[in-house]
Amino acid sequence: MGNAIRALVAFVPADCCQSYVVKDLWEMPTDKMVDLSGKQLRRFPAHVCSFQELVKLYLSDNHLNSLPPELGQLQNLQILALDFNNFKALPQVVCTLKQLCILYLGNNKLCDLPSELSLLQNLRTLWLEANCLTRLPDVVCELRLLKTLHAGSNALRLLPGQLQRLRGLRTIWLSGNLLADFPAVLLHMPFLEVIDVDRNSIRDFPSLAHLSGLKLVTYDHNPCRNAPKVAKGVRRVGRWAEETPEPDPRKARRYALTQEESQDGEAPALPPLLLPPNS
């Protein structure tokens, strides 16, 4: 069915095609959910704004770059998915949807977020992965009920100190950024349960043993010289995790040297001294 829709998009004018894919959507769904994901939409079907009891709206994987002001009529909306679209800026109308609990904004072209996002004080989960963020917008630190933050695959080099205000934050995903150091602010957030800094450029990890709430830390694919120390029972995913012993400083330095020397092409094989036991 997906291929048939794509073929239709190629040969039918956009407005006609859009009318076709949403033609049956003229009454409020009984489950209070509308899913228009992957419909190749270039504009939001305005008549959906009349479904004022709508709770979930999925618009993922389309070609949207704007939303109509009428979307603000959906004041019962709790879940809004705008990921995999063409948004360069978050439409202001989204910031008027004050019952939102989950907001998906991943895989767009966002470089920042509007200050009005702070109006979404019921937001628990925010997905920002795979955008164009070079810094975490300060407004994120004002979302006091936020529990889960996905900010991977951007170009973040550091995190704002104000992030520690989010005492309800339990999970933070930062994989695939440009972090050269472990974010210092996270050391002051003992309530965090999951920290993911996979695929960054962190060489030295501080001890995380004092983070009493921590359950999982993922730090793989970093040129690290050591593994982060953690409290008993905390799972680590990365080099020198539970499955292999902690390295001594000489082995860590030699490993770091091989990483520095490997540039383009295949990385050289590790010296026998660095190979884990029974390998």
Side-chain angles (χ1 to χ4, degrees):
M1 182 63 183
N3 290 335
I5 290 177
R6 287 178 173 81
L8 185 65
V9 170
F11 296 104
V12 180
D15 288 347
C16 297
C17 181
Q18 176 149 316
S19 298
Y20 174 80
V21 298
V22 299
K23 67 176 183 177
D24 295 326
L25 193 61
W26 293 104
E27 295 183 359
M28 172 70 189
T30 56
D31 59 2
K32 299 183 179 181
M33 179 185 75
V34 167
D35 186 355
L36 293 174
S37 300
K39 300 297 186 182
Q40 306 295 314
L41 301 180
R42 298 184 181 276
R43 58 182 177 80
F44 181 71
H47 67 272
V48 174
C49 298
S50 64
F51 304 156
Q52 296 186 12
E53 298 302 314
L54 203 63
V55 173
K56 303 176 184 179
L57 176 58
Y58 297 93
L59 298 170
S60 309
D61 193 19
N62 283 293
H63 302 287
L64 301 172
N65 57 26
S66 64
L67 295 172
E70 292 79 10
L71 189 74
Q73 299 175 26
L74 304 181
Q75 286 299 310
N76 290 296
L77 209 58
Q78 296 180 20
I79 300 176
L80 177 60
L82 300 175
D83 48 323
F84 292 93
N85 276 286
N86 294 323
F87 291 103
K88 294 183 178 180
L90 182 66
Q92 291 284 343
V93 66
V94 173
C95 301
T96 68
L97 304 173
K98 297 183 180 180
Q99 298 303 313
L100 279 183
C101 297
I102 301 176
L103 179 58
Y104 297 96
L105 299 176
N107 294 86
N108 279 285
K109 302 172 182 178
L110 301 174
C111 295
D112 203 353
L113 294 174
S115 59
E116 290 82 0
L117 191 73
S118 63
L119 298 174
L120 303 184
Q121 286 298 311
N122 285 305
L123 208 60
R124 265 74 167 179
T125 299
L126 178 60
W127 292 67
L128 297 171
E129 77 280 7
N131 275 285
C132 303
L133 300 174
T134 58
R135 63 178 184 84
L136 188 68
D138 291 339
V139 68
V140 173
C141 303
E142 300 178 32
L143 303 172
R144 58 185 180 84
L145 295 184
L146 200 65
K147 295 186 66 175
T148 302
L149 175 60
H150 289 258
S153 300
N154 280 285
L156 303 179
R157 295 182 182 274
L158 50 82
L159 297 181
Q162 305 95 297
L163 193 68
Q164 62 185 298
R165 297 176 185 170
L166 301 182
R167 302 193 63 82
L169 195 64
R170 296 294 179 266
T171 302
I172 185 164
W173 303 89
L174 298 166
S175 62
N177 277 287
L178 301 176
L179 300 172
D181 298 297
F182 186 83
V185 65
L186 302 185
L187 300 176
H188 303 285
M189 302 176 71
F191 35 83
L192 283 173
E193 297 179 356
V194 177
I195 298 175
D196 181 2
V197 289
D198 187 23
R199 293 185 294 112
N200 278 279
S201 301
I202 302 172
R203 293 182 177 276
D204 296 292
F205 281 93
S207 174
L208 307 181
H210 65 289
L211 299 182
S212 55
L214 194 61
K215 298 179 180 178
L216 169 66
V217 57
T218 301
Y219 61 95
D220 210 4
H221 305 99
N222 280 279
C224 52
R225 299 184 177 98
N226 67 306
K229 292 183 179 181
V230 294
K232 184 177 181 180
V234 178
R235 184 185 176 202
R236 297 181 301 181
V237 177
R239 188 171 179 82
W240 303 306
E242 286 85 353
E243 294 78 7
T244 57
E246 291 281 350
D248 64 46
R250 290 182 305 164
K251 292 181 180 180
R253 281 195 298 271
R254 291 182 60 183
Y255 172 69
L257 183 61
T258 61
Q259 295 297 100
E260 291 172 0
E261 291 177 347
S262 61
Q263 299 174 353
D264 296 331
E266 293 186 3
L270 292 179
L273 179 62
L274 296 181
L275 294 176
N278 301 322
S279 61

